[in-house]
Amino acid sequence: VQLQAFGGGLVQAGDSLRLSCVASGRTNSRYVMGWFRQTPGKERAFVSAISWSGNSTHYADSVEGRFTISRDNAKNRVYLQMNSLKPEDTAVYYCAGESRILIATNVDDYDDWGQGTQVTVSS
C-alpha cells in the first residue's frame, strides 16, 4: 500500500487546515490509518488514528477537541481536520496505515507511511 499525504501549508494561529491522505494498492477491512507529526530534532509523535469502520478514533491530548480524523473508504482517503491551530502544531505531518483490528498510537505499529506534508502555523 502506498500513501500520499497533502494539504499542508502556512497559516496563522487560530486558522484551520485539512490534511488528506490517499491510499493506493491493496487495503483490507482491517486497515487502520493514523496521523503523526515530527519537528526537527524530535521523534515522530502520534496525532490521531481511526479504525477501518471509522467508529473508533483516538487523539493525542495536545490536539483533542481541535483536530478531527475521518475517512472515506470508497475513496481510500483519510482526513485530518485541524482547527484552532497553534504555533506548536507546526510540524511535518505523516499519514500511516497498517492492517490491524485495533487502532494504534506507536510509530512501530505502522508499516505503511506516506511522505510528509509541512504545516506551519505563524503566531
Side-chain angles (χ1 to χ4, degrees), residues 76-89:
N76 289 332
R77 294 197 176 201
V78 64
Y79 305 98
L80 185 68
Q81 178 66 43
M82 305 185 294
N83 297 330
S84 302
L85 282 162
K86 304 176 181 180
E88 50 264 43
D89 293 318

Side-chain angles (χ1 to χ4, degrees), residues 58-108:
H58 189 65
Y59 297 92
D61 290 343
S62 58
V63 306
E64 181 81 53
R66 299 187 298 121
F67 291 11
T68 302
I69 191 170
S70 61
R71 66 189 298 164
D72 183 341
N73 291 335
K75 297 181 179 179
N76 289 332
R77 294 197 176 201
V78 64
Y79 305 98
L80 185 68
Q81 178 66 43
M82 305 185 294
N83 297 330
S84 302
L85 282 162
K86 304 176 181 180
E88 50 264 43
D89 293 318
T90 295
V92 177
Y93 284 72
Y94 298 88
C95 62
E98 179 64 28
S99 293
R100 56 184 297 121
I101 297 175
L102 300 178
I103 57 177
T105 62
N106 295 318
V107 170
D108 293 341

Side-chain angles (χ1 to χ4, degrees), residues 18-33:
R18 188 175 84 155
L19 304 183
S20 300
C21 176
V22 59
S24 59
R26 188 174 182 177
T27 60
N28 56 41
S29 61
R30 296 182 178 180
Y31 199 70
V32 170
M33 297 191 76

